[in-house]
Amino acid sequence: MSNVPQIDPAYHHPARLQIAAMLARVDEVEFATLRDIIEVSDSVLSKHLSALSDAGYVKLKKAKSEGRQRTWASFTRDGRNGFAKHMAALRELAEMAEQAVAAE
Amino acid sequence: MDQNDAMKALDSVRETDRALERRARWPLWRHAAFGALEALLLLAWGVPLAAMAACIVIALGGLWWIVADDRRRYGMFVSGYSSRAALPATWLALAIVLSGLVALVLTGGPNQWTPYVLPVVGTVFVGCTLASIWWEKLYRAELRQGGVQ
């Protein structure tokens, strides 16, 4: 069995990791706010949100507000747990890198 | 993914936290609105039964309005339980409300108006407002420092 920390492929893409980082800090966030914070285009955000939704990690909800249809995103339980494990794996990998540098 | 990729990924998460931290600010009236709702829920136990129902309906309506206003104004909703680092402030607000409830019951019993009701409710209003302000400080500090997710 390998000792290499297991990262979650669903969060491998930088934009998806940033989406997850944002969702981990809030209960729910509207599409435009998420787009402004992680600084990606509408189409890129839409594509990655759909991928995370298809993976069962993100719940998307449409709601009308001020006469416009808006999309709201939130983590599912699997998404939140998967992100916590992914972050733990990233921290473990980073610590390994720091230990390797210190050992040189 | 190698170790350098992992470090870059962690940096991008920290940058997202910082970007959120720059937005995560709530005005004083929003903290006071939370304090007022908690105080109103408590007041419900210190007034006669008919007024109790009115207090609860108004408090629940206010709660719904705060959530809707947060969503409309900030494009997101962050509950008191969203941040591990800020949980002490959430527990403090809960403890203040429960202490107020115990004080009302001990000084007159439920649904009994006594001279103690207004001071207790006022104390809960101030305490919960301050707890909400403290919550924001803890939440923003967690985002600034990139606390464990």
Side-chain angles (χ1 to χ4, degrees):
Chain A
M1 193 172 203
S2 167
N3 286 329
V4 177
Q6 293 301 303
I7 61 147
D8 190 328
Y11 293 128
H12 187 66
H13 192 284
R16 287 187 206 168
L17 184 65
Q18 286 182 289
I19 291 168
M22 176 72 190
L23 293 180
R25 299 297 195 189
V26 301
D27 286 74
E28 59 179 353
V29 61
E30 201 260 323
F31 186 93
T33 304
L34 184 55
R35 177 201 61 206
D36 292 347
I37 286 179
I38 68 172
E39 296 178 330
V40 293
S41 67
D42 283 7
S43 58
V44 167
L45 179 57
S46 186
K47 185 181 83 176
H48 290 301
L49 276 178
S50 295
L52 289 170
S53 174
D54 290 345
Y57 281 5
V58 166
K59 191 169 87 178
L60 297 174
K61 187 177 74 179
K62 298 229 184 254
K64 206 164 188 180
S65 173
E66 294 169 342
R68 288 179 56 194
Q69 192 82 348
R70 296 174 196 273
T71 302
W72 289 81
S74 59
F75 255 150
T76 62
R77 188 185 295 266
D78 284 349
R80 192 172 292 279
N81 291 341
F83 180 63
K85 285 178 188 162
H86 184 77
M87 287 296 289
L90 288 178
R91 278 192 290 273
E92 207 175 324
L93 275 167
E95 276 169 26
M96 286 163 67
E98 283 168 4
Q99 284 167 6
V101 169
E104 279 177 9
Chain B
M1 177 179 272
D2 64 21
Q3 283 108 331
N4 286 332
D5 291 335
M7 292 175 95
K8 279 183 200 159
L10 288 172
D11 282 344
S12 79
V13 169
R14 280 186 211 106
E15 190 45 51
T16 303
D17 278 348
R18 286 189 204 108
L20 176 59
E21 192 262 341
R22 288 191 286 273
R23 276 180 170 243
R25 292 168 190 270
W26 291 269
L28 182 60
W29 70 261
R30 169 64 174 79
H31 297 296
F34 168 74
L37 283 181
E38 298 298 318
L40 194 58
L41 277 175
L42 190 69
L43 180 64
W45 294 91
V47 292
L49 216 53
M52 180 189 198
C55 284
I56 290 174
V57 168
I58 294 169
L60 292 179
L63 188 66
W64 175 86
W65 180 83
I66 279 184
V67 174
D69 187 69
D70 271 6
R71 286 163 53 105
R72 185 171 54 245
R73 201 181 290 267
Y74 309 110
M76 59 185 172
F77 180 68
V78 189
S79 75
Y81 303 96
S82 294
S83 162
R84 197 178 299 173
L87 274 180
T90 304
W91 300 137
L92 175 65
L94 198 58
I96 289 169
V97 174
L98 289 177
S99 301
L101 183 60
V102 169
L104 283 189
V105 169
L106 291 180
T107 55
N111 304 118
Q112 292 289 325
W113 178 262
T114 71
Y116 299 103
V117 171
L118 280 183
V120 169
V121 168
T123 304
V124 167
F125 166 66
V126 172
C128 285
T129 300
L130 292 175
S132 180
I133 292 169
W134 185 38
W135 187 94
E136 181 183 322
K137 281 186 188 303
L138 294 175
Y139 180 61
R140 296 190 62 220
E142 182 184 37
L143 295 173
R144 207 164 38 243
Q145 291 153 13
V148 171
Q149 309 209 41

